[in-house]
């Protein structure tokens, strides 16, 4: 369904609402739907930087399912999640 | 496998990740090192692939994060959600619209319940992984 049709359907009930307000409501609904159902999956790739420990995550990421790493021989394998965090902190 | 075999087969070095301050931390865990050097940052360039659940792209925003509110193609945008769930977003928007009108607030729960039905269907769709038939439940002992 295109945005135009969605806006028209909302305006049948709320003719006083403008397009921008309806878009905000639809975006809120979409965020709630995605976070409660976890229906959308995606994968993304990046390269590590030598001696850098942390890499920022996009706001759109809700839950990380798994992480793969390519080793020196070119093999890609899943890496394990650490429970908690290292006792000695390095914030680089 | 005997206890000694298990100990010998144990992997002492492996990469691990964890989430902290909206970032992903990646380090090499080496069980043979002392406590201070148990975790060291990765010293080489490695390709990392993240698999995750995400939020759908907002209407009025493109994939680069720029606003498309003034774009001529705005009205033709479609949600990234599977098409069978688009109607439920409309139901929620209608419900939220009624919530702001004290005289019509009684209409809100009706449309909200339609959205909740969509949530239920969405969870089923996500859990099934687009595979038909019965789901297999694997037992785990904890």
């Amino acid at each position: 369904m295109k945005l135009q049709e969605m806006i028209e359907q909302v305006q049948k009930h709320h003719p006083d609402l403008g397009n921008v307000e309806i878009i905000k409501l639809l975006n809120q609904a979409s965020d709630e739907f995605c976070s409660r159902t976890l229906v959308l999956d995606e994968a993304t790739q990046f390269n590590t930087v030598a001696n850098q420990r942390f890499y920022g995550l996009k706001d759109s990421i809700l839950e990380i399912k798994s992480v793969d790493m390519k080793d020196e021989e070119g093999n890609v394998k899943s890496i394990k999640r650490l429970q908690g965090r290292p006792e000695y902190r390095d914030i680089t | 496998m005997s206890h000694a075999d298990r100990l010998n087969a144990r992997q002492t070095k492996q990469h691990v990740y964890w989430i902290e301050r909206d970032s992903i931390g990646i380090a090499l865990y080496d069980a043979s090192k002392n406590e201070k050097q148990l975790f060291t940052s990765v010293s080489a360039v490695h390709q990392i692939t993240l698999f995750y659940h995400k939020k759908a792209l907002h209407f009025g925003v493109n994939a680069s994060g720029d606003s498309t509110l003034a774009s001529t193609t705005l009205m033709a945008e479609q949600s990234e959600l599977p098409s069978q769930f688009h109607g439920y977003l409309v139901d929620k928007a209608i419900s939220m619209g009624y919530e702001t009108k004290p005289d019509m607030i009684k209409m809100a729960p009706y449309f909200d319940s339609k959205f909740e039905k969509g949530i239920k269907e969405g969870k089923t769709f996500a859990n099934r992984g687009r595979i038909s038939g019965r789901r297999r439940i694997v037992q785990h002992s904890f």
Side-chain angles (χ1 to χ4, degrees), chain B residues 58-106:
Chain B
H58 279 179
F59 291 112
V61 181
N62 65 17
S64 332
D66 303 322
S67 171
T68 59
L69 284 174
S71 159
T72 51
T73 57
L74 171 69
M75 290 300 159
E77 285 183 13
Q78 288 198 42
S79 172
E80 280 185 285
L81 287 167
S83 56
Q84 67 267 38
F85 303 120
H86 292 183
Y88 297 119
L89 302 185
V90 174
D91 292 331
K92 185 67 179 177
I94 293 170
S95 163
M96 287 191 283
Y98 280 126
E99 281 170 3
T100 60
K101 296 174 181 165
D103 53 329
M104 299 285 278
I105 200 161
K106 283 183 182 167

Side-chain angles (χ1 to χ4, degrees), chain A residues 1-7 9-10 12-17 19-20 22-72 76-77 79-92, chain B residues 11 14-27 29 35-37 39-61 69 74-83 85-90 92-101 104 107 111-112 115-116 118-123 125-127:
Chain A
M1 196 189 294
K2 288 183 179 166
L3 179 61
Q4 176 82 57
E5 297 165 70
M6 293 174 122
I7 289 175
Q9 286 193 25
V10 176
K12 280 181 192 166
H13 294 266
H14 304 294
D16 52 318
L17 290 182
N19 287 359
V20 176
I22 294 173
I23 288 172
K24 280 182 188 166
L25 294 178
L26 289 169
N27 285 338
Q28 273 184 50
S30 172
D31 283 353
E32 185 175 342
F33 193 91
C34 293
S35 59
R36 288 178 63 191
T37 60
L38 300 178
V39 77
L40 290 182
D41 296 308
E42 197 176 65
T44 190
Q45 290 183 323
F46 66 91
N47 287 326
T48 57
V49 177
N51 301 318
Q52 181 178 324
R53 190 164 286 196
F54 289 100
Y55 303 87
L57 295 172
K58 289 191 285 185
D59 286 344
S60 61
I61 296 177
L62 291 168
E63 281 182 19
I64 290 183
K65 294 195 293 181
S66 64
V67 179
D68 284 1
M69 182 184 233
K70 194 185 255 187
D71 63 18
E72 287 83 358
V76 178
K77 72 173 201 177
I79 62 173
K80 288 182 181 168
R81 187 167 70 88
L82 180 73
Q83 298 289 330
R85 60 169 187 82
E87 203 168 326
Y88 286 87
R89 209 189 276 269
D90 172 356
I91 56 166
T92 53
Chain B
Q11 205 177 358
Q14 60 180 326
H15 286 99
V16 291
Y17 77 93
W18 69 98
I19 307 299
E20 192 180 330
R21 294 173 286 119
D22 280 339
S23 302
I24 181 167
I26 297 170
Y29 170 71
E35 202 177 344
K36 208 167 182 177
Q37 293 170 326
F39 296 93
T40 49
S41 297
V42 180
S43 57
V45 176
H46 290 276
Q47 188 186 68
I48 301 291
T49 310
L50 299 179
F51 298 89
Y52 52 86
H53 294 295
K54 65 164 209 157
K55 288 192 279 191
L57 202 63
H58 279 179
F59 291 112
V61 181
L69 284 174
L74 171 69
M75 290 300 159
E77 285 183 13
Q78 288 198 42
S79 172
E80 280 185 285
L81 287 167
S83 56
F85 303 120
H86 292 183
Y88 297 119
L89 302 185
V90 174
K92 185 67 179 177
I94 293 170
S95 163
M96 287 191 283
Y98 280 126
E99 281 170 3
T100 60
K101 296 174 181 165
M104 299 285 278
M107 292 291 282
F111 287 96
D112 204 44
F115 178 72
E116 290 300 320
I119 294 281
K120 212 171 165 184
E121 281 176 22
K123 282 181 180 172
F125 181 82
N127 287 338

